[in-house]
Amino acid sequence: MPTQAMNRRQLLAGTAAIAATPALAQLAAAAPGSADDRLLTLFDAMFAEGIADSPERATSLGLDTGANAGLKSKLSDYSRAGRDADLARAASQLQRLQAIDRTSLTPPRQLDRDVVEYDLARRVANERRFTFGSAGGNFSPYVLSHSDGAYRSVPGFLESQHRVTSASDAQAWLARVAAFATALDQETQRMNQEAAQGVVLPAFLFDLALPQITRLRTAPAAETVLVKALAAKAQAAGVAGDWAAQATKLVEQQVFPALDRQIAAITALRRTATMDAGVWKLPDGAAYYDAAVKSSTTTNYSAEEVHQLGLAQVADISAQLDGLLKGQGLTQGTVGERLVALNERPDQVYPNTDAGKEELLTELRGHAASMYPRLEKLFITQPRAKLDVNRVPVVIQEGGAGAYYNSGTPDGSRNGTFFINLTDSFDRPKFGLPTVTFHEGVPGHHFQVMLALQSPDVPPIRRRAGYSAYTEGWALYAETLADEIGYYDGNPLGRIGYLQSLLFRATRLVVDTGLHHKRWNKDKAIDYMVATTGFAKGRTTREIVRYCAAPGQALSYKMGHTKWVALRDAVKAKQGAAFDIRQFHEILRLGAMPLVLLEREVMRRD
């Protein structure tokens, strides 16, 4: 169904009217046309509402043009009122969706309705109960941390997503720089409001966040990415104008004062913070973590059940590694200690220099290029967008994730990008580089994300659905595919890297529940992960502090991987000789969904 473009004011007014007048939801369900048409029309409206309330998303999807061009000059509302408005919109959408009789829909549209209802119902229930942070798909209890906040996201978003091809694009960039100052103040105010509720970052997370914000503040305004990236893009596009001077003035007069206010607020709250790492310390903390576990894994597992599953999987994978390590002459010590020894071998580490890091990036790009020719044996449909491999920007690498993926555009005009954190190249030994490429890039996140984005079978509202157990489970399953198609034949070190990756994700089941359920401190979690996986302490520390800020999310990888493998094996057993793995992978074209719905859809296909 075509979407009618509406401006932000119209959309917000329409949402408010629907929320205030339930009869309009009934009218939508009784509108002329089939139930499928009514559902898709509703989805169009819901998608447009989401785009209007998230200008960043509009830009990332290439939808900030035409009637939506005004969104290119805006940022989202980062305030407490903005959170409340988002929740009210979700509640209104849930009400309108439930007014459409599921039984009147065709099977594809029943799936769409089920997925969207699952997401909305979960979010509305959780965010009404837990009135701090975010309690959507993956829980984030803190407004601002070392890994979250406008201070991190907005500069990188502008640099990587905001296109400048005309003077109006450059003017929109300037408007967003001014809006960035507003966003900083909104988050500062909300951080203080939620601190009054008893929601305060662990002290060690403040200590990681503050230097990052301070670096942004102490850099000369003209040297910030807010200025330099605009100037570079304008010059490359031949857009005349002294854009750097205008941006510099905005940074000096608006952004820097907002950063000063945020730094002052963080410094004050740091004095009251404790070293307690887990969310058990927060209001209703045990219930919060229980909900986070269920939401991130889209299962009904309890924290204790996940902990025990993790211990069992750690033991199994360690046993497999034991034999391979002995084959490399590494016979003494625990599996973790032998993995450390392998990591320390000079032939397995690139120099921790700019040149060494560029060599590392070249190897990653080579693994992606080597995988592409093999993918025809695994996939019927492939993404239009190709894959770039870059390092995490230096300004945000400290405390950041080890690796992550940013999507391209569905039409292929902008590639997807796999970012890897190269704070210290020792953290990324050569034997582990192939598997991280397959996880973040091809056929991992790049295929899963882009096939959904470009699929005509997925309504726009579902194309970026965030079900971590599905998406991260797929990415880990993609690592398994590389092993199964023989990528590591003749390369036992590469297979060790693959198994170490699986061991790492199984260890996450133990340490995440350890921190938030069993009340481990940060150092105990770090020591356990180092001893079990053999990862360098610096890399491990960045992982553990990430789990402290995002409870439950780390569980989704191995829980999802376990389900993907089990479902494929079940379909293979059901179909026998007729099983076609390429056809099995076409499920990606139906978009991300909760594991419970994935199981239903997979098992009912012929």
Side-chain angles (χ1 to χ4, degrees):
M1 296 289 292
T3 301
Q4 182 178 1
M6 293 180 284
N7 65 37
R8 182 177 178 84
R9 182 176 299 175
Q10 289 172 321
L11 284 170
L12 292 177
T15 302
I18 290 170
T21 313
L24 289 180
Q26 298 173 8
L27 178 62
S34 70
D36 280 16
D37 285 341
R38 294 197 300 273
L39 181 71
L40 293 175
T41 299
L42 175 59
F43 281 168
D44 285 343
M46 291 165 63
F47 179 75
E49 290 165 9
I51 289 296
D53 284 338
S54 180
E56 295 92 331
R57 187 181 180 203
T59 294
S60 69
L61 290 175
L63 298 178
D64 56 356
T65 60
N68 292 326
L71 296 176
K72 195 163 190 175
S73 300
K74 301 177 184 294
L75 296 176
S76 300
D77 186 341
Y78 288 78
S79 69
R80 184 68 172 264
R83 180 190 190 273
D84 292 344
D86 287 345
L87 177 56
R89 172 168 52 83
S92 168
Q93 291 174 348
L94 179 61
Q95 180 187 42
R96 285 177 275 164
L97 180 65
Q98 291 175 335
I100 297 178
D101 180 14
R102 183 184 185 279
T103 62
S104 65
L105 299 167
T106 60
R109 300 292 78 81
Q110 286 180 348
L111 172 62
D112 292 334
R113 185 189 185 281
D114 291 345
V115 172
V116 175
E117 182 179 29
Y118 181 98
D119 188 49
L120 288 171
R122 177 184 58 175
R123 179 183 175 190
V124 169
N126 286 334
E127 293 214 334
R128 281 176 173 168
R129 177 170 184 182
F130 307 109
T131 59
F132 54 87
S134 172
N138 292 319
F139 283 26
S140 180
Y142 308 111
V143 172
L144 181 153
S145 72
H146 72 297
S147 57
D148 286 303
Y151 81 92
R152 283 182 60 90
S153 63
V154 172
F157 159 75
L158 284 171
E159 182 180 28
S160 64
Q161 303 288 323
H162 187 113
R163 300 180 186 181
V164 177
T165 60
S166 66
S168 63
D169 290 342
Q171 288 288 355
W173 179 293
L174 295 175
R176 277 179 158 166
V177 172
F180 177 40
T182 299
L184 290 167
D185 281 335
Q186 288 173 334
E187 287 198 330
T188 300
Q189 181 183 37
R190 188 175 164 199
M191 180 178 63
N192 284 329
Q193 290 170 333
E194 296 187 8
Q197 295 178 248
V199 181
V200 178
L201 271 178
F204 57 85
L205 293 187
F206 274 129
D207 293 340
L208 289 173
L210 189 56
Q212 295 185 73
I213 302 172
T214 301
R215 278 196 295 273
L216 180 59
R217 171 60 183 90
T218 56
E223 295 300 312
T224 64
V225 69
L226 300 168
V227 177
K228 293 182 70 175
L230 171 59
K233 291 185 180 192
Q235 182 179 16
V239 179
D242 195 355
W243 304 108
Q246 294 182 68
T248 298
K249 184 176 180 180
L250 285 170
V251 171
E252 290 174 341
Q253 296 184 356
Q254 297 187 39
V255 174
F256 279 175
L259 286 168
D260 287 337
R261 291 187 287 272
Q262 191 160 94
I263 289 169
I266 289 172
T267 302
L269 286 174
R270 170 62 178 84
R271 300 189 190 103
T272 70
T274 71
M275 294 295 288
D276 293 330
V279 295
W280 54 264
K281 67 177 184 176
L282 302 180
D284 209 9
Y288 183 86
Y289 186 60
D290 180 70
V293 169
K294 291 178 170 55
S295 187
S296 287
T297 66
T298 58
T299 70
N300 286 316
Y301 276 81
S302 69
E304 184 62 29
E305 287 171 330
V306 172
H307 190 81
Q308 295 304 320
L309 179 63
L311 291 171
Q313 293 196 0
V314 164
D316 176 65
I317 300 166
S318 295
Q320 296 180 60
L321 278 163
D322 178 58
L324 286 169
L325 290 166
K326 286 177 178 176
Q328 294 296 308
L330 296 166
T331 60
Q332 302 298 313
T334 66
V335 166
E337 289 168 344
R338 283 178 278 165
L339 286 168
V340 170
L342 182 59
N343 195 157
E344 291 175 343
R345 276 177 26 180
D347 66 311
Q348 291 302 309
V349 181
Y350 282 104
N352 194 37
T353 62
D354 286 341
K357 292 172 182 178
E358 191 55 44
E359 286 186 77
L360 191 156
L361 289 170
T362 298
E363 180 173 340
L364 291 172
R365 292 166 185 146
H367 289 303
S370 296
M371 178 56 70
Y372 264 110
R374 305 167 187 247
L375 295 176
E376 289 186 1
K377 297 179 181 179
L378 296 172
F379 296 91
I380 295 171
T381 309
Q382 294 194 31
R384 298 186 189 100
K386 297 303 182 182
L387 180 73
D388 293 332
V389 181
N390 295 321
R391 66 182 295 184
V392 173
V394 174
V395 70
I396 62 170
Q397 69 182 9
E398 195 65 41
Y404 56 89
Y405 171 78
N406 281 351
S407 65
T409 51
D411 63 2
S413 62
R414 185 181 71 238
N415 289 344
T417 306
F418 153 33
F419 288 94
I420 188 162
N421 193 320
L422 296 182
T423 302
D424 187 343
S425 59
F426 180 78
D427 293 348
R428 288 293 177 183
K430 296 178 183 180
F431 63 86
L433 296 180
T435 201
V436 70
T437 306
F438 308 142
H439 180 106
E440 300 293 344
V442 291
H445 284 312
H446 183 60
F447 267 54
Q448 176 266 308
V449 171
M450 294 311 304
L451 288 182
L453 283 178
Q454 73 184 42
S455 174
D457 302 322
V458 183
I461 194 172
R462 286 193 49 227
R463 289 181 185 167
R464 287 181 177 267
Y467 298 97
S468 189
Y470 176 102
T471 59
E472 297 298 353
W474 167 267
L476 198 53
Y477 168 74
E479 298 182 39
T480 298
L481 285 175
D483 181 51
E484 291 174 344
I485 65 172
Y487 195 87
Y488 302 116
D489 289 354
N491 180 15
L493 285 174
R495 190 159 196 274
I496 287 172
Y498 156 65
L499 287 173
Q500 186 185 37
S501 175
L502 287 185
L503 179 62
F504 168 43
R505 274 37 179 257
T507 303
R508 282 174 160 176
L509 302 182
V510 179
V511 296
D512 196 89
T513 52
L515 287 163
H516 300 294
H517 170 59
K518 293 186 172 294
R519 302 192 177 194
W520 290 9
N521 62 33
K522 172 175 64 76
D523 291 337
K524 181 174 181 177
I526 292 171
D527 290 345
Y528 178 87
M529 181 170 275
V530 169
T532 303
T533 65
F535 280 169
K537 189 167 185 177
R539 176 182 176 184
T540 302
T541 299
R542 285 192 291 275
E543 287 290 334
I544 295 301
V545 298
R546 169 187 164 192
Y547 312 156
C548 295
Q553 192 274 339
L555 308 177
S556 59
Y557 298 73
K558 200 64 180 66
M559 298 294 287
H561 170 261
T562 301
K563 177 60 73 174
W564 272 106
V565 172
L567 288 177
R568 187 195 59 187
D569 290 347
V571 173
K572 190 173 183 179
K574 176 183 175 183
Q575 296 179 348
F579 176 74
D580 180 354
I581 194 169
R582 301 188 316 146
Q583 189 61 50
F584 175 76
H585 292 155
E586 284 288 278
I587 193 73
L588 291 178
R589 296 182 62 207
L590 298 185
M593 63 188 80
L595 294 183
V596 63
L597 296 181
L598 175 65
E599 180 171 10
R600 185 189 76 186
E601 292 303 309
V602 164
M603 295 309 298
R604 77 180 184 184
R605 300 171 87 198
D606 293 333

